[in-house]
Amino acid sequence: MEASTVRVGWIGLGTMGLEMARNLQQHRARTGQTPITVYNRTHAKCALVAEHGAHVAVSLASIAQTCTVVFLSLRDDQAVKDIVTQLLDSIALETRDEPLLIADLTTVHPSTTQWVLHKISQANTKVRFCQTPVWGAPPAARSANLVYVTSGSNSDSALLAEISVPAFAHTTIACDDPVRAAKFKIMGNFMIAGILETLGEAMAVAHDSGISRELYLEFVKAMFPVAPILGYAHKMVDEDGEASKTQVGFNIHGGMKDVGYAIDVAKSAGLDLPVAELAHKHLQWVLDNGDENWDWSSLAFALRKQ
């Protein structure tokens, strides 16, 4: 399959999915490639991509029957299972000559990836599945500055890389096994959570010991002037530390899910993640005493209030 002529479907237009799909369609329109076809549970959101030339699918079945590569950008593991099941059911009702490649960008537990692979193998269809998560917050998605993980065969990985860069990502990292790709994404998110925990602790001590969070931010700006460290540090300082309540890139619910998954991955390897357990504890405090819709950098707020 050629990336320029492949029929691309996109399912899921949430905060990240909308930005990625819009960038992908705009890129394909600029470069004379075939338009993408989008589907979303809330149909009105499709218009935000259709105005750039995308087609709008009337149903999941129509995407399953007409597209050769389908990207999923969904809320959680259960949504992935539901959508994959519906796609497979739709394909089973039709005679399909071409194979279908499903690329799931959702951050899921490795057991979900295993479930999907087993489901596809049992369906006996011409469907291939790649776990292909991204790293980057909504601003990075908006500016097509994401890091995209590919998986699957060399040819599938190369095709997905060609479709995604520079359309919605600035680089790709190849990870051959889909289950390993799911673990890879989770452990990457754990590192970000660890940075948040360390920043939060440092900011709390800086404030209470008289250094001040604002002065500590100057150290972060001088030594670590890169996203996401600097962005999260600003959220912990701006508006007297309240910015993490309003400048939401990744919320408490998502943070707790991913940190919990990291703890699970570590346990399956016979290891502990003390930093992840601390971060999970502080995120739980915010959930109990604040709002699940705050940014996950608000764990620093928990450290100051406990």
Side-chain angles (χ1 to χ4, degrees):
M1 289 187 284
E2 295 291 332
S4 60
T5 57
V6 69
R7 298 189 302 279
V8 177
W10 193 285
I11 300 172
L13 298 174
T15 303
M16 294 287 288
L18 174 60
E19 301 293 354
M20 288 186 282
R22 185 157 45 195
N23 283 339
L24 178 57
Q25 173 54 37
Q26 288 176 328
H27 172 75
R28 293 180 74 84
R30 283 194 305 269
T31 54
Q33 301 182 49
T34 55
I36 70 172
T37 301
V38 295
Y39 176 86
N40 192 66
R41 185 178 58 181
T42 306
H43 201 64
K45 279 194 171 182
C46 294
L48 299 174
V49 189
E51 66 185 11
H52 299 285
H55 298 155
V56 178
V58 296
S59 65
L60 282 173
S62 64
I63 280 203
Q65 294 157 13
T66 60
C67 295
T68 46
V69 175
V70 175
F71 290 92
L72 309 183
S73 180
L74 304 171
R75 176 180 171 81
D76 55 26
D77 297 56
Q78 190 56 53
V80 170
K81 291 180 179 180
D82 292 344
I83 293 297
V84 168
T85 298
Q86 291 177 63
L87 289 173
L88 293 176
D89 289 346
S90 298
I91 292 170
L93 298 174
E94 297 288 331
T95 301
R96 185 184 178 91
D97 295 325
E98 296 176 292
L100 171 64
L101 175 61
I102 300 175
D104 181 26
L105 299 103
T106 316
T107 301
V108 296
H109 196 282
S111 63
T112 296
T113 305
Q114 292 171 326
W115 183 94
V116 170
L117 291 170
H118 178 72
K119 182 81 172 177
I120 289 172
S121 70
Q122 294 297 106
N124 194 29
T125 62
K126 296 180 179 180
V127 176
R128 301 191 306 280
F129 180 82
C130 299
Q131 197 67 57
T132 61
V134 297
W135 279 299
R142 196 170 303 119
S143 60
N145 201 33
L146 298 168
V147 176
Y148 182 50
V149 178
T150 62
S151 67
S153 67
N154 289 340
S155 58
D156 285 344
S157 217
L159 175 64
L160 293 172
E162 190 177 352
I163 292 171
S164 62
V165 177
F168 63 80
H170 72 85
T171 192
T172 62
I173 302 174
C175 184
D176 54 354
D177 179 66
V179 176
R180 194 154 64 112
K183 294 178 181 178
F184 187 31
K185 162 63 172 173
I186 289 165
M187 295 315 297
N189 281 15
F190 157 67
M191 184 171 178
I192 297 170
I195 290 169
L196 289 179
E197 178 64 29
T198 303
L199 268 175
E201 292 179 17
M203 290 289 189
V205 173
H207 177 74
D208 290 351
S209 66
I211 299 171
S212 86
R213 292 192 296 271
E214 290 75 14
L215 184 57
Y216 197 80
L217 177 60
E218 293 304 312
F219 158 74
V220 176
K221 288 161 66 175
M223 293 297 295
F224 307 105
V226 294
I229 298 174
L230 189 54
Y232 284 127
H234 269 290
K235 289 183 182 182
M236 294 178 184
V237 173
D238 293 350
E239 302 171 26
D240 194 29
E242 301 288 304
S244 57
K245 296 181 182 179
T246 56
Q247 299 175 20
V248 182
F250 192 53
N251 66 21
I252 294 294
H253 173 79
M256 289 192 70
K257 173 179 73 73
D258 288 3
V259 172
Y261 286 177
I263 293 170
D264 284 350
V265 170
K267 285 182 177 177
S268 70
L271 300 170
D272 293 323
L273 288 181
V275 173
E277 291 168 2
L278 270 176
H280 196 275
K281 171 188 172 184
H282 294 139
L283 289 167
Q284 183 66 56
W285 189 94
V286 175
L287 184 64
D288 294 340
N289 297 277
D291 190 320
E292 69 171 10
N293 293 313
W294 291 354
D295 189 82
W296 69 330
S297 61
S298 62
L299 64 76
F301 185 76
L303 284 159
R304 297 201 304 273
K305 296 295 183 180
Q306 282 184 316

